[in-house]
Amino acid sequence: MSADPTVEQRTAEPASAITDAIAEADLARGIIDGDEASIAAAYRRWAPLVHTLARRSLGDSREAEDVTQQVFLAVWRGGRGYRPERGTLAGWLVGITRRKIADALSARTRRTELVGAAGALLVLADDTRARPEAALDRVLVRHELAKLPTPQRRVLHLAYYEDLTQTQIAQRTGLPLGTVKSHSRRGLHQLRDGLGSAAEV
């Protein structure tokens, strides 16, 4: 007759924990050494956690996907910076995730401020009697918009004249959300610079 199953279970659990610890130690060494298989294994194991943390903080699945990619890109580039004696691999990844989330929130704030500033230039008063120079402003804005590369011009047109969000623009155009954000940011910078130069003339 076999021994008490609870005794067998108790003896099996520490062995499993030791195996997991060894596996994580091997994974950590691989990441420190820049081993692609170890980084891929870490991605499979912890990407869902990273994505969940990012989605909860940002409220946007696509931005969470961007953050998840950035976290594991940081792991690939900076794996030598991991110090096992300072904490677990999962804790290190959570720390990187928090920094990337903070970066994403900061970038979102900058985009909002930039969009607001450029929007003030784009959304011009229609009452030309109260402000006769409004007609000239509209001409200048259209002129500067026409100078932009087609993708940037199209993204800004959809944002300001059709009042679409960046996610809606991505869906409408079939472009990745990151590309839409990039076109928007570059286009706004160029538009702002062009209107600033025109104002100085």
Side-chain angles (χ1 to χ4, degrees):
M1 188 170 178
S2 64
D4 182 356
T6 56
V7 174
E8 289 178 3
Q9 187 177 2
R10 282 197 297 272
T11 56
E13 283 172 355
S16 175
I18 289 168
T19 303
D20 288 347
I22 291 170
E24 184 161 332
D26 289 341
L27 200 57
R29 275 194 295 275
I31 286 172
I32 291 168
D33 293 340
D35 176 58
E36 290 183 13
S38 297
I39 294 167
Y43 180 86
R44 288 191 299 272
R45 187 168 179 178
W46 285 295
L49 169 66
V50 169
H51 187 273
T52 298
L53 291 172
R55 192 182 67 244
R56 285 178 183 168
S57 297
L58 298 168
D60 185 292
S61 284
R62 290 192 183 187
E63 280 190 289
E65 287 170 14
D66 288 345
V67 165
T68 303
Q69 290 175 1
Q70 290 168 23
V71 167
F72 286 95
L73 183 60
V75 169
W76 179 62
R77 289 177 174 167
R80 287 187 176 86
Y82 172 59
R83 296 289 178 267
E85 65 274 11
R86 293 183 184 173
T88 65
L89 200 50
W92 181 63
L93 286 166
V94 168
I96 295 173
T97 302
R98 287 177 178 156
R99 288 193 295 276
K100 295 301 179 185
I101 288 170
D103 290 346
L105 288 170
S106 215
R108 181 189 286 177
T109 300
R110 286 194 303 273
R111 283 196 305 270
T112 301
E113 289 171 353
L114 184 58
V115 165
L121 295 170
L122 287 167
V123 182
L124 298 167
D126 288 329
D127 190 356
T128 55
R129 292 170 301 175
R131 201 169 73 85
E133 67 274 17
L136 177 59
D137 288 344
R138 279 196 297 276
V139 170
L140 287 173
V141 169
R142 287 195 187 105
H143 179 69
E144 292 302 325
L145 275 172
K147 290 182 183 178
L148 297 178
T150 302
Q152 294 174 14
R153 186 171 64 248
R154 185 178 183 202
V155 165
L156 291 180
H157 178 86
L158 291 171
Y160 292 102
Y161 295 111
E162 296 192 30
D163 200 27
L164 298 183
T165 66
Q166 290 180 328
T167 300
Q168 290 169 331
I169 293 169
Q171 291 168 349
R172 170 83 68 89
T173 61
L175 294 170
L177 182 59
T179 302
V180 170
K181 290 177 181 178
S182 178
H183 284 327
S184 178
R185 184 173 58 252
R186 289 176 186 161
L188 287 170
H189 277 300
Q190 192 172 332
L191 184 64
R192 186 177 60 182
D193 291 346
L195 289 170
S197 300
E200 292 171 2
V201 175

